[in-house]
Amino acid sequence: MDLNEKLKYIGNINQLWGVRPYELSDGWARKMRAFDVNAGCGLLYTVLPDRGMDISLASFKGNNLVYLTCNGETSPTYYEPEGIGWLHTFSGGLLTTCGLTHLGPPSLDDGENLGLHGRYSTIPARQVADCSSWVGDEYHIKLRGIIEEGRLFGNKLRLEREILSVVGQNSIEITDTITNFGNKPSPYTILYHMNLGYPLLSEKSELEIKPLDTSPRDESALSGLNDFRQFIEPQENYNEQVFFHKMKGNQDGFTQASLLNIELGIRLNIIFNVNQLPFLTEWKMMGYGEYVLGLEPCNVFVKSRKLLREEGELPYLKPQEFVTNKVVISIEELKG
């Protein structure tokens, strides 16, 4: 039955798909805006405008896809910028964006004390809008917002985000346009921190990825270099392993990393373009209660801004220069 036929059976499209806006009211999440999105064919997810239009909860036909930290959905009101204070308000979820002028470990760079992974995910969006509408015979669920990271006498970057799901296609298309709206060149670093969890992630799962090159972050990761595609049951006292993948694109620059779970019959794909995001950071954490796979497209390796500057690898945007990134998350059901 096509969508027009379905409409004959219903009084309101929210019976089948759509966006539900509301405000969270309890604990660390109190007073945060949220949008629950029902993509109409099994995919559900939650967008948090007050966390930079990032995505927290996500599930497919009742199967959870993401890892949530013990913090859960947390208001940016409680953000601690110093050192590793970012972790106190890190909730995980399907997407936590890191950047925009620095990411990675804390450092002192160019006179600034920079905390872990930057400020982006603690900045509320403005001009937030639900722009969902019919496009021909397709219903497009579309959310938009603008996030600005800047200060007087400092760098000024604007990110305009659009999140799109076409009803029935079980995918999330994230389009970000990042502009330097200041009057001097600005460092520009971005990482799409996607956090996959149980039951999608288990010892039954496998990472499908074909990088050009893979390097371990440290000795702990070196010991697991041959097993970065496989996963184990939760372990006591597990040391996290981080791998840096340089990705190979097709003729148009597109590449893909997928997490497959044969037992659930689900494959989650992350599709992006190496011309904008040439690297994928893999965060493999198999600990008790901290059981998560981070798949993180990024424009630089996850190093401090100080180190990137010293190595000549720190990207910049000139005044009024902009870039556009597109990241697609899709869910496939395996046949048979």
Side-chain angles (χ1 to χ4, degrees), residues 22-312:
Y22 57 98
E23 186 176 281
L24 295 162
S25 62
D26 193 42
W28 287 57
R30 188 169 179 264
K31 294 189 177 182
M32 275 206 305
R33 295 170 292 173
F35 290 100
D36 281 349
V37 177
N38 178 353
C41 201
L43 176 62
L44 307 173
Y45 60 94
T46 301
V47 177
L48 300 177
D50 294 324
R51 299 294 305 237
M53 300 291 289
D54 279 343
I55 303 172
S56 57
L57 300 171
S59 64
F60 179 71
K61 293 189 174 180
N63 291 301
N64 172 63
L65 304 174
V66 306
Y67 174 78
L68 286 182
T69 71
C70 59
N71 304 325
E73 295 165 319
T74 303
S75 169
T77 303
Y78 306 104
Y79 175 51
E80 299 176 20
E82 299 84 8
I84 61 170
W86 182 88
L87 290 174
H88 292 161
T89 53
F90 172 52
S91 61
L94 187 62
L95 173 62
T96 297
T97 307
C98 302
L100 291 169
T101 64
H102 71 279
L103 49 79
S107 68
L108 175 64
D109 177 66
D110 198 26
E112 288 187 82
N113 280 306
L114 306 175
L116 178 67
H117 277 326
R119 293 178 175 271
Y120 177 89
S121 70
T122 62
I123 301 174
R126 63 177 178 84
Q127 293 180 232
V128 177
D130 177 0
C131 303
S132 303
S133 65
W134 287 97
V135 179
D137 290 334
E138 294 181 339
Y139 193 80
H140 288 205
I141 297 173
K142 186 180 296 184
L143 300 174
R144 289 177 176 166
I146 297 173
I147 299 89
E148 290 183 342
E149 178 183 345
R151 65 173 178 84
L152 183 67
F153 309 130
N155 300 304
K156 299 173 178 66
L157 293 182
R158 175 187 301 117
L159 185 146
E160 299 171 69
R161 174 164 288 177
E162 179 179 286
I163 299 173
L164 169 68
S165 287
V166 177
V167 166
Q169 294 188 9
N170 288 324
S171 67
I172 306 169
E173 181 179 293
I174 301 162
T175 303
D176 289 343
T177 298
I178 303 97
T179 303
N180 179 355
F181 68 98
N183 298 306
K184 64 179 182 179
S186 172
Y188 157 60
T189 61
I190 193 165
L191 176 140
Y192 294 84
H193 204 303
M194 303 188 194
N195 310 280
L196 308 182
Y198 181 83
L200 175 64
L201 176 67
S202 75
E203 62 274 17
K204 305 292 185 180
S205 304
E206 181 179 353
L207 176 61
E208 298 179 332
I209 185 175
K210 295 180 180 179
L212 285 172
D213 180 67
T214 297
S215 56
R217 184 185 67 179
D218 50 28
E219 289 297 322
S220 178
L222 180 61
S223 67
L225 187 58
N226 294 327
D227 301 311
F228 68 77
R229 292 181 175 87
Q230 280 75 47
F231 305 96
I232 55 178
E233 296 178 356
Q235 304 291 305
E236 188 176 12
N237 300 320
Y238 186 89
N239 290 321
E240 65 177 6
Q241 297 180 350
V242 176
F243 307 96
F244 301 135
H245 303 293
K246 184 175 182 180
M247 300 300 290
K248 178 182 179 180
N250 64 16
Q251 61 182 6
D252 297 315
F254 290 99
T255 190
Q256 178 172 310
S258 303
L259 185 63
L260 167 70
N261 188 310
I262 294 178
E263 189 172 65
L264 291 183
I266 294 175
R267 177 187 285 111
L268 183 145
N269 306 308
I270 300 172
I271 303 161
F272 54 100
N273 196 297
V274 298
N275 295 318
Q276 294 106 35
L277 305 166
F279 308 111
L280 180 82
T281 298
E282 177 188 347
W283 172 42
K284 182 179 176 180
M285 181 62 203
M286 304 279 99
Y288 284 173
E290 296 176 340
Y291 189 79
V292 52
L293 172 66
L295 294 178
E296 307 163 12
C298 45
N299 72 331
V300 291
F301 282 136
V302 182
K303 301 177 182 179
S304 72
R305 194 171 82 186
K306 180 177 185 296
L307 185 56
L308 289 171
R309 189 189 300 275
E310 291 172 349
E311 294 178 348

